Amino acid sequence: MSYNDWYYTACPKCRQTVLQTGSNLVCVDDGNLDKAVCMYRIPVKISDKTGTITGTIFDRAANQLLQQTCEEALTKQNLTQQLQSMENKEAKFQIQVQPDLKNRSIRCTINNANYLHTETTYHTSTSTPPITTPQPVTPPPKGQNINYLSLNMS
């Protein structure tokens, strides 16, 4: 990946790519802009036991994985190292798959992602005595008197 392949300049309103004509910033949807924002667009290969796909991690998912905005990443000096910190880590992805009619292929975009934690989680609980089933009551033999108690509330 080249230096500029992992982000793009976007319209702060609609998040679409901004075109620069001279010193003017122009959004196709929102017209002339005073300023633009930088957004992640990281090309990746994602593998699991079933295969490998090529996709793009967009801004929200990249923020989740890198724990910093694209603007913050651009101010740091070790950009390549930061991006490579994602390599070979297990993560849970929300992948959107749609046909790319322009390139006659399938486009995979990742808009939500979180690293899987492999640490052991310990849970504490308090124990209660086990629940026991009461013993069945045997009815008295026929002909034997049963005494009933009555309760008067006056």
Side-chain angles (χ1 to χ4, degrees), residues 89-148:
K89 287 190 178 176
E90 290 186 355
K92 177 174 62 172
F93 296 98
Q94 177 186 5
I95 299 174
Q96 181 181 9
V97 179
Q98 51 191 188
D100 185 347
L101 300 176
K102 180 181 174 184
N103 296 319
R104 296 181 180 219
S105 62
I106 295 175
R107 181 183 332 159
C108 299
T109 57
I110 297 101
N111 294 313
N112 205 351
N114 292 299
Y115 288 120
L116 299 177
H117 298 287
T118 56
E119 308 150 0
T120 304
T121 304
Y122 295 97
H123 298 279
T124 58
S125 63
T126 57
S127 62
T128 57
I131 298 173
T132 57
T133 305
Q135 294 297 321
V137 177
T138 308
K142 284 188 178 183
Q144 196 173 30
N145 290 336
I146 300 175
N147 295 327
Y148 292 98

Side-chain angles (χ1 to χ4, degrees), residues 60-97:
R60 184 181 347 167
N63 283 332
Q64 292 167 334
L65 295 172
L66 294 169
Q67 299 292 306
Q68 63 186 341
T69 66
C70 186
E71 300 275 345
E72 292 169 339
L74 284 168
T75 63
K76 299 191 178 173
Q77 300 212 352
N78 55 352
L79 295 172
T80 306
Q81 186 178 8
Q82 289 175 5
L83 294 172
Q84 288 174 343
S85 71
M86 293 189 300
E87 191 173 8
N88 296 322
K89 287 190 178 176
E90 290 186 355
K92 177 174 62 172
F93 296 98
Q94 177 186 5
I95 299 174
Q96 181 181 9
V97 179

